[in-house]
Amino acid sequence: MGASSPGFRPPGQSRFGGRIGRDWRDSEPWWPPRPAPPDGAPNIVVVVLDDVGYAQLGCYGSDIETPTFDGLAARGVRLANFHTTSLCSPTRACLLTGRNHHRSGMGRVAELAVGFPGYWGRPPRENGYLSEILRANGYATYAVGKWHLTPESEISMAASRATWPLARGFDRWYGFHGGETHQFVPALYHDNHAARPPASVEDGYHLTEDLADRAIEFLSDLRAAEAAPGKPFFLYFATGACHSPHQPPARWREHYRGRFGLGWDAWREQVFARQRAAGLFPESAVLSKRPDWVPAWDSLDDREQAVAARFMECFAGFLSHADEQVARVLGFLADLGEADNTIVVVVSDNGASSEGGATGSINDVRLLNMDPAGTQEMFARLDEIGGPLTHNNYPWGWTMAGNTPFRRWKREVHQGGVADPCIICWPAGPVEPGGIRRQFTHAIDIVPTLAELAGIELPAQIDGVAQAGLDGVSFGYLLPPGTQTARERHETQYFEMFGSRAIYHQGWKAVTFHPVGPLYDDQDWNAPFDEDVWELYHVAEDPSESADLAGQRPDLVRELTGLWWQEASRNQVLPLDNRVLWAVAQLKHDRHRTGDRFRYFPGRAQVPESAAANVRNRSHAIIVDVTIRGAGATDGVLLAQGSALGGWSLLILGAKIRYVHNLYGSERHVIESDEAVGPGEHRIEYAFTKDAGLGGTGVLRCDGRDVGRGTIPVFTPAEFNGVGAGLTCGYEWGPAVGTGYAAPFPFAGTIRRAVIETTGPVVRDVLAEVAAILSEQ
C-alpha cells in the first residue's frame, strides 16, 4: 500500500496507545487495560428461591428445616420488610437491573409477553444487568438455574439468543428457561444450546443437586485457570425449588411424613408466635384472618387431610433439600478459603403460590386443560405425589400458611404476594450478625446495594449504550450494627400485577385487588378497573393488612391513589389488563409454527411445545420412513412429544408399531399394530381424524396398509405438559409417555425422514372457547 493510499497511517502515536513505526523495530505494541475489580472486592452469591413464602424458612418462623439459610441469617442481617413484585420474571428483572419491572418490559411472566412497552418481555439494553456491570469491573460471572427472562418464542434452538444469559453479561450458564421444569428429567440448557440431564432418575439424578455440581464446577474451573489469582466472581444461583412440581429426592419425600397433620390453621398460629418472638414484627402486628374461600382444616374429611398433608410434606422436603445443596456450594467456598469475603444474598421471587388450587394438584397442566384431579384420584395416587409421575402443587390452605401472617399470595399485591424473605451475609464486611431490619426494602434495591458494598461505581454506559437511571435505593446503610432505627430511605414503591395495584409510601399502603378470573367468591372478576375498591393500611404498625382504614382516611386514599397513577405513568404500567387466561390461549395460538408440514431429525435437541407442530384439536398425520437392519434392532421411539405427565409417542415395541396418547398422566390411549414389523425399509404412519367433540380416531399404517385402529376418546385440548418436555425425534425426553419401556428408548434402526402433517382446521379449542367467553363478559 503506497503512502497516498487512504488506509495509510504515517509513523507515530497510535490512536489507541503505543507507537507505530515503519517496522517492528521502531514500534511499541499496546493493549487496552483489562477490567480490574477494586482491591479486596468480595465475591457475590445471589441465591434466588422460587415461590418460597415469607414464613417458610426457619429463620422467618417456619419449622421446615433450613439450617443453611438459618446459619446465614445468624451471621448476617434479615430484612423483615423486603418486597418483590409478586411474580417470577418481574422480580428477577428487578433483582438483576435495579429498575422497576414494567420499565424492563417485564410487567408479567415472560411467557405472557404482549406488545405494550411494559409487557414485551425483553429487558432493554439501557437497563444493564448486574452481571454486565460486574463483568466490566473484572468479575467472572456465572448463572446457574432458572432464567425466566426470555419470551417463550425465543427458547428454541432456532431463536435469537439476545435475551439469554450469555448475551446479558454472564460468562457461563447452566439451567432452564421458563417458569418450571421436571426435577428428575429437566429441560436443560448449557450456555447457548439445549442439553440432556447428565444422569437418569434411576441413577439418582435430581436437578438441584446438578445445579450445585455445576456451580462448583464453574468456580473450580475459574480458580484452576485464572490468569491472576483471586479474581472475584458473581454467582447467580436460582433454584427450581420451590416452584411446582414439588419433587424432592425419595429420602426427603419421607423425611417429613406425618409432620403436617396438625393442619394449616394451627401451623400458621405456631409460625406467627415464633415470628413475634424473633422480633420480625412490631408488637402491634396481628395474624390475618383465614379467608372464607380457604376451608378450615378441621372441616376436611380424613382423605382430604391425608392428601393435603402429603402435599405439604413434599414441599417441605423440596425446600430442605435445596437448603442442603446451597450448603454444598457454600462449603466449597469455605474449602477455597473464600467464605469470609463472599457476600451471600438469599431471596425468594414472590409469595407462596396458590397455583395448586383449592384442593391441590397432581398435575398443574390439568388445570389449564380444564380437568383437575379430584380428591379421590389424588388419594389413590398418594404415594406417587412428589415423585417423577406427578406435577404436584399444594392447596390454598398451605399457601396461606406459607405467607403467615399476611393476606393473599403470589400473583397478587397484598403482602402475601409481595412480602418475602431476604438475608444478607458478609462475614468480612460491615454486616451485623443476627441483625433484623424492619425498614422498607425492595428487589430493585439489590443492585445498588451490591454495587456499593463491592466499591463499584454504576456505569453511565454499557457497551456503548447509555444507561437509564436506577429505581432502587441501596440498603447498605441498614447492614452495620446500630442501624435498627435508621431512617428509611426507600419511601415510595408502586406495585401492579394483572390489574391488582398497590402503593407504599412512608409507612402507609393503599391496595386494591382485581381478580384474574372466577377463582374466588369474594369479588367480581370482570368488573371495570374504575370500580375497584381501594383499601388503606398503616403497614408500619399493621404489616398483615388486617385493619382497613380507608373509611377513616379518604383523603389519604385519594393522595396515595393519585401517587399510584403518577408512578404508573412513569414506569410504563398502562394499560391495565387482567386477562390471564385469554393471554395464555391467544399467545399459545399465535406462537405455534405456521404451515401444515413439519420435518424433524433424529437425535437432535428437543423442540419446545411452543415451537413444535400443533397437533391439538385438529386432524393430523405422523409419517416416518425407517430402515430396520435386523430382527433384533426394531424397537425404539420414532417421534414423540411430552412425557409421563402428558403427551404422545409413536414407537416400535416388541417389533410392533404403537401409538400412545397420554392424557396428562391420568390415562393412556394405546393403539398397537396387529402384526410385527421386520427388517428392511418401511414407511410408518399414524393418522388421527378429529371428531366434533374432544376426541377422534387413530389409524396405524405400515407401507400403506392399515395395521391398527382405535379411538382416542379425549385428545389433550390445551397443553401436553408444563415441565418443558418438547418434541423429540428418535428418542423420548422422559419420563416415558407410555408403559413397557423407559425413556429415552432410542430407536435401534435408522430414521431417514420424519414428518408431521396437520391435515385439518382446528375443530374445537376448549381453552380458546373459555378465554373468549371470559373476554366478552
Side-chain angles (χ1 to χ4, degrees):
M1 181 179 293
S4 62
S5 299
F8 176 77
R9 180 182 295 276
Q13 189 72 27
S14 165
R15 64 187 178 95
F16 297 109
R19 184 178 184 281
I20 298 176
R22 291 187 176 275
D23 62 33
W24 62 269
R25 294 175 180 83
D26 57 356
S27 300
E28 180 182 348
W30 176 87
W31 287 271
R34 293 183 176 181
D39 291 342
N43 301 318
I44 298 173
V45 177
V46 175
V47 178
V48 184
L49 301 172
D50 203 339
D51 286 4
V52 173
Y54 186 94
Q56 290 175 326
L57 300 182
C59 51
Y60 281 81
S62 176
D63 61 355
I64 298 174
E65 297 163 24
T66 54
T68 304
F69 301 136
D70 299 349
L72 290 169
R75 299 188 299 276
V77 166
R78 274 172 287 176
L79 300 182
N81 198 13
F82 180 78
H83 295 77
T84 60
T85 67
S86 86
L87 208 58
C88 306
S89 305
T91 293
R92 292 160 201 270
C94 292
L95 289 170
L96 286 172
T97 70
R99 284 89 172 181
N100 286 317
H101 55 301
H102 293 91
R103 283 187 66 204
S104 287
M106 279 291 177
R108 48 177 60 174
V109 290
E111 293 91 333
L112 299 182
V114 292
F116 299 112
Y119 303 90
W120 75 314
R122 299 168 183 84
R125 293 284 167 176
E126 58 263 30
N127 291 3
Y129 281 24
L130 179 61
S131 46
E132 295 170 316
I133 295 169
L134 292 176
R135 186 163 70 178
N137 281 273
Y139 274 70
T141 54
Y142 306 125
V144 177
K146 176 173 172 175
W147 184 237
H148 212 192
L149 289 169
T150 293
E152 190 175 32
S153 58
E154 296 181 9
I155 65 173
S156 76
M157 290 297 94
S160 164
R161 309 300 199 270
T163 59
W164 291 32
L166 268 62
R168 296 308 308 252
F170 286 102
D171 298 328
R172 303 177 74 176
W173 175 50
Y174 182 84
F176 61 97
H177 282 298
E180 60 197 315
T181 194
H182 201 285
Q183 297 296 302
F184 299 107
V185 196
L188 290 170
Y189 294 81
H190 195 167
D191 293 337
N192 280 335
H193 61 273
R196 290 274 303 165
S200 69
V201 60
E202 292 79 15
D203 296 327
Y205 176 87
H206 192 278
L207 174 60
T208 316
E209 296 175 10
D210 189 16
L211 298 181
D213 289 343
R214 291 293 177 160
I216 293 169
E217 174 191 332
F218 288 176
L219 299 181
S220 58
D221 284 349
L222 170 67
R223 290 295 177 250
E226 60 189 341
K231 181 176 185 176
F233 62 80
F234 168 42
L235 172 64
Y236 178 77
F237 189 82
T239 65
C242 282
H243 198 293
S244 67
H246 302 155
Q247 295 173 315
R251 63 186 175 89
W252 280 108
R253 291 200 296 274
E254 295 305 309
H255 184 80
Y256 286 98
R257 194 177 286 274
R259 294 266 294 271
F260 295 98
L262 77 168
W264 45 66
D265 294 313
W267 191 85
R268 71 193 293 254
E269 289 176 359
Q270 294 178 5
V271 166
F272 184 55
R274 286 191 289 266
Q275 291 173 332
R276 293 195 61 170
L280 292 171
F281 300 116
E283 288 297 319
S284 55
V286 297
L287 180 63
S288 64
K289 294 180 180 179
R290 174 177 47 80
D292 293 339
W293 23 267
V294 174
W297 180 263
D298 291 342
S299 72
L300 306 183
D301 63 31
D302 290 345
R303 287 192 172 191
E304 290 170 332
Q305 288 189 357
V307 170
R310 187 61 184 147
F311 279 128
M312 187 59 187
E313 291 164 4
C314 291
F315 174 89
F318 197 23
L319 179 55
S320 290
H321 177 247
D323 179 274
E324 181 181 70
Q325 301 314 304
V326 172
R328 292 178 53 223
V329 176
L330 300 182
F332 181 73
L333 298 184
D335 182 63
L336 292 175
E338 300 183 35
D340 284 352
N341 199 31
T342 297
I343 302 171
V344 180
V345 178
V346 179
V347 298
S348 179
D349 59 354
N350 45 247
S353 171
S354 65
E355 290 157 353
T359 58
S361 167
I362 54 172
N363 191 348
D364 280 4
V365 80
R366 294 180 65 166
L367 304 177
L368 193 61
N369 283 287
M370 313 298 170
D371 188 18
T375 298
Q376 183 175 347
E377 179 185 350
M378 294 192 289
F379 183 78
R381 300 178 62 185
L382 199 66
D383 289 339
E384 293 181 33
I385 293 176
L389 301 183
T390 61
H391 181 171
N392 51 299
N393 205 343
Y394 53 29
W396 286 345
W398 289 120
T399 311
M400 171 192 66
N403 293 325
T404 299
F406 305 124
R407 298 172 54 199
R408 298 195 178 271
W409 37 54
K410 173 185 177 181
R411 202 184 57 228
E412 300 167 11
V413 297
H414 281 75
Q415 289 294 88
V418 300
D420 278 288
C422 180
I423 304 165
I424 306 95
C425 179
W426 185 15
V431 178
E432 179 187 7
I436 294 176
R437 301 294 183 266
R438 296 181 188 163
Q439 291 88 341
F440 184 97
T441 51
H442 190 277
I444 57 175
D445 300 334
I446 295 291
V447 167
T449 300
L450 291 175
E452 177 187 331
L453 296 180
I456 290 173
E457 183 177 349
L458 295 171
Q461 292 188 345
I462 295 178
D463 293 333
V465 178
Q467 293 297 288
L470 266 60
D471 296 307
V473 178
S474 171
F475 55 74
Y477 73 100
L478 292 175
L479 301 179
T483 58
Q484 295 92 327
T485 59
R487 181 177 176 178
E488 184 174 278
R489 295 183 184 177
H490 193 143
E491 295 185 330
T492 305
Q493 180 63 45
Y494 84 93
F495 299 88
E496 190 279 336
M497 192 58 63
F498 297 122
S500 289
R501 289 152 282 160
I503 184 82
Y504 170 85
H505 184 64
Q506 296 179 350
W508 290 85
K509 182 180 177 184
V511 57
T512 183
F513 168 70
H514 196 101
V516 298
L519 297 178
Y520 321 124
D521 298 329
D522 64 341
Q523 198 165 341
D524 178 7
W525 55 269
N526 208 31
F529 290 103
D530 288 342
E531 295 181 7
D532 290 341
V533 176
W534 285 81
E535 304 158 15
L536 176 68
Y537 301 99
H538 191 195
V539 288
E541 298 178 359
D542 177 25
S544 63
E545 299 169 327
S546 294
D548 183 4
L549 303 177
Q552 301 175 31
R553 296 291 307 275
D555 57 328
L556 185 54
V557 173
R558 286 192 296 271
E559 177 185 338
L560 292 180
T561 54
L563 183 58
W564 185 90
W565 285 105
Q566 293 176 27
E567 290 295 291
S569 177
R570 185 177 70 84
N571 285 281
Q572 304 181 156
V573 176
L574 304 178
L576 296 174
D577 190 349
N578 69 323
R579 301 172 300 162
V580 175
L581 191 58
W582 174 88
V584 170
Q586 189 67 32
L587 294 173
K588 285 186 178 298
H589 176 269
D590 291 348
R591 288 172 182 169
H592 271 285
R593 291 177 61 188
T594 57
D596 55 15
R597 187 176 178 87
F598 310 88
R599 185 176 178 186
Y600 299 100
F601 303 88
R604 304 308 181 202
Q606 67 156 333
V607 180
E609 186 169 344
S610 60
N614 182 11
V615 299
R616 294 180 286 103
N617 308 302
R618 61 177 54 184
S619 299
H620 58 273
I622 305 168
I623 306 164
V624 185
D625 296 330
V626 302
T627 300
I628 298 174
R629 291 185 173 79
T634 60
D635 289 4
V637 172
L638 304 179
L639 207 60
Q641 183 167 2
S643 71
L645 297 175
W648 56 264
S649 183
L650 180 62
L651 64 148
I652 301 175
L653 183 63
K656 290 189 174 183
I657 305 167
R658 177 182 290 190
Y659 174 84
V660 181
H661 171 248
N662 183 319
L663 186 65
Y664 32 77
S666 63
E667 57 187 83
R668 290 180 174 87
H669 311 129
V670 180
I671 303 173
E672 189 171 74
S673 64
D674 300 325
E675 58 191 56
V677 61
E681 294 187 350
H682 301 282
R683 169 161 289 187
I684 296 172
E685 300 176 71
Y686 170 75
F688 177 75
T689 302
K690 182 78 168 64
D691 63 24
L694 296 177
T697 301
V699 177
L700 289 172
R701 298 188 180 98
C702 184
D703 301 326
R705 296 181 299 106
D706 290 4
V707 295
R709 177 182 294 267
T711 298
I712 308 294
V714 178
F715 193 86
T716 306
E719 186 171 347
F720 289 115
N721 74 91
V723 293
L727 189 148
T728 51
C729 182
Y731 69 101
E732 280 187 22
W733 194 259
V737 173
T739 59
Y741 65 97
F745 198 43
F747 181 53
T750 299
I751 296 175
R752 304 193 311 278
R753 188 177 182 88
V755 171
I756 294 178
E757 295 178 349
T758 52
T759 56
V762 172
V763 175
R764 185 181 180 193
D765 189 330
V766 175
L767 181 61
E769 290 175 5
V770 173
I773 293 171
L774 294 178
S775 64
E776 291 171 0
Q777 292 184 356

